[in-house]
Amino acid sequence: MPITLPRTLPAYDVLSREGVMVMGKEKSAQQDIRPLKIGLLNLMPKKIQTENQFARLIGATPLQIDFRLIRMTEHQTKNTAADHMAEFYRPFQEVRDEKFDGFIITGAPIEHLPFEEVTYWNELQEVMDWTQTNVHSTFGVCWGGMALLKHFHGVDKRMLDEKAFGCFRQQNLEPASPYLRGFSDDCVIPVSRWTENTREEIEAAGLKVLLGSDVVGPCLVEDADHRALYIFNHFEYDSGTLKEEYDRDVANGTPINVPGNYYPDNDPTKPPQNRWRSHAHLLYGNWVSEIYLTTPFDQSLIGQTSTDLRS
């Protein structure tokens, strides 16, 4: 089944050309099925790139997705045209009375700041509390995952001595997890962050690490009590995203290592290789499938019923 997107959203044409099933809202309204309503709270500066990345992954399943773009109410982006934000995004305060089957909180390039110093931290705390009554399953990505971990469990991020940057192999620590259905014993995922959370702290909080690395620490964490997943790395990245970050820092004179295990022969003059795409689709496909299998058909019951409705 297709993902439902506005026909004028840039992702509509991008995904259509790639063969992803995309449907306009008018046609969607004529179908006698209930699409899964998934919101994206987009905290990244490059809004359109991030929209494309997540829409590509959650739109690749046979299920119909009603994809909603959300922004913080007061925070104004400086990197995306105001008319794009006005046309496609709704502030959180306008959707707080709605129910969502799934909700993604993206990363944000503000790792160096303590959470309490982030200008929209108070509202983000409100969002995170709201997910417990209005969202069936939440997915926090990179800084977004660390923010959820901090808010719900008091586990704070730690600064690294140098940036974890490149493609790192992760071990499949819970092969029986429905979120890792079809996963290999290990997989590669792009990493780009200055902070980390330790496995010891995460497990001490009663959470389960699903994917992890001896080099860059935990990758994917399940928080069953809060119906949430936290991923600290970037399955959603395009093939060239790490290259863009590396080229930007080189151009700005910012000290940066060549992203490890990314370019052939570690040579940045060669085109980078994408070795994470299949597992990216598996993870987000598994997440969407679990939402479909467990979310109430009556959306008004979201946040009020058992998370296991398959039996």
Side-chain angles (χ1 to χ4, degrees):
M1 298 296 288
I3 182 173
T4 303
L5 297 173
R7 290 185 178 274
T8 50
L9 184 71
Y12 188 98
D13 288 334
V14 172
L15 271 61
S16 296
R17 289 194 300 268
E18 295 178 358
V20 175
M21 292 186 291
V22 184
M23 180 184 291
K25 290 184 178 293
E26 304 81 10
K27 188 173 181 180
S28 168
Q30 299 172 7
Q31 292 200 326
D32 190 23
I33 59 174
R34 181 172 90 73
L36 295 179
K37 183 178 174 184
I38 296 182
L40 178 72
L41 179 61
N42 193 350
L43 305 176
M44 292 296 287
K46 294 185 177 181
K47 301 288 191 231
I48 295 175
Q49 181 186 57
T50 303
E51 295 158 18
N52 291 345
Q53 290 170 344
F54 283 103
R56 177 180 296 116
L57 292 174
I58 66 172
T61 76
L63 302 170
Q64 184 182 153
I65 306 296
D66 182 4
F67 192 49
R68 305 292 183 91
L69 300 176
I70 316 297
R71 63 173 176 84
M72 303 307 296
T73 305
E74 299 299 330
H75 182 72
Q76 300 298 321
T77 183
K78 301 177 181 178
N79 298 280
T80 304
D83 56 352
H84 180 89
M85 298 300 296
E87 182 172 1
F88 299 116
Y89 281 79
R90 296 174 66 195
F92 168 69
Q93 297 301 332
E94 287 187 8
V95 304
R96 57 176 300 124
D97 293 331
E98 299 181 16
K99 297 292 184 85
F100 288 78
D101 298 292
F103 199 78
I104 299 169
I105 301 176
T106 74
I110 48 177
E111 293 177 280
H112 61 289
L113 291 175
F115 288 114
E116 296 80 5
E117 293 183 15
V118 174
T119 57
Y120 50 78
W121 179 244
N122 288 341
E123 187 180 24
L124 185 58
Q125 288 185 299
E126 184 181 351
V127 172
M128 293 186 285
D129 286 335
W130 166 87
T131 64
Q132 299 307 287
T133 56
N134 288 62
V135 174
H136 182 66
S137 181
T138 304
F139 207 144
V141 180
C142 202
W143 184 88
M146 293 180 181
L148 286 158
L149 190 59
K150 166 71 172 179
H151 180 68
F152 287 133
H153 300 282
V155 178
D156 212 340
K157 55 186 170 64
R158 299 184 179 196
M159 290 299 299
L160 295 169
D161 293 332
E162 59 182 33
K163 187 176 185 179
F165 191 45
C167 295
F168 293 86
R169 193 164 291 281
Q170 310 287 330
Q171 292 181 310
N172 183 345
L173 302 174
E174 295 287 339
S177 169
Y179 299 109
L180 300 182
R181 189 180 296 114
F183 264 61
S184 306
D185 293 337
D186 62 13
C187 61
V188 171
I189 182 170
V191 180
S192 178
R193 51 181 165 80
W194 282 97
T195 53
E196 69 172 358
N197 292 108
T198 69
R199 182 172 179 176
E200 292 74 19
E201 290 174 319
I202 290 170
E203 291 181 339
L207 308 182
K208 184 183 294 184
V209 179
L210 305 183
L211 293 173
S213 163
D214 292 336
V215 179
V216 290
C219 171
L220 179 66
V221 174
E222 181 180 7
D223 183 352
D225 288 346
H226 294 92
R227 304 186 308 281
L229 291 177
Y230 313 142
I231 189 166
F232 306 129
N233 305 323
H234 293 282
F235 265 137
E236 82 279 4
Y237 269 11
D238 299 323
S239 300
T241 305
L242 290 180
K243 172 178 168 53
E244 292 172 10
E245 295 181 8
Y246 174 72
D247 290 347
R248 176 202 62 202
D249 287 348
V250 170
N252 292 339
T254 303
I256 186 67
N257 295 327
V258 174
N261 199 28
Y262 177 57
Y263 295 106
D265 303 320
N266 208 36
D267 182 353
T269 66
K270 296 181 178 179
Q273 295 178 322
N274 188 315
R275 288 174 289 114
W276 61 90
R277 185 181 295 114
S278 59
H279 282 100
H281 281 281
L282 267 178
L283 177 60
Y284 282 89
N286 287 341
W287 178 61
V288 171
S289 294
E290 282 301 295
I291 292 174
Y292 172 75
L293 290 170
T294 60
T295 194
F297 182 81
D298 182 350
Q299 285 184 311
S300 68
L301 299 178
I302 288 174
Q304 304 176 29
T305 60
S306 168
T307 61
D308 190 358
L309 303 180
R310 289 170 289 182
S311 56

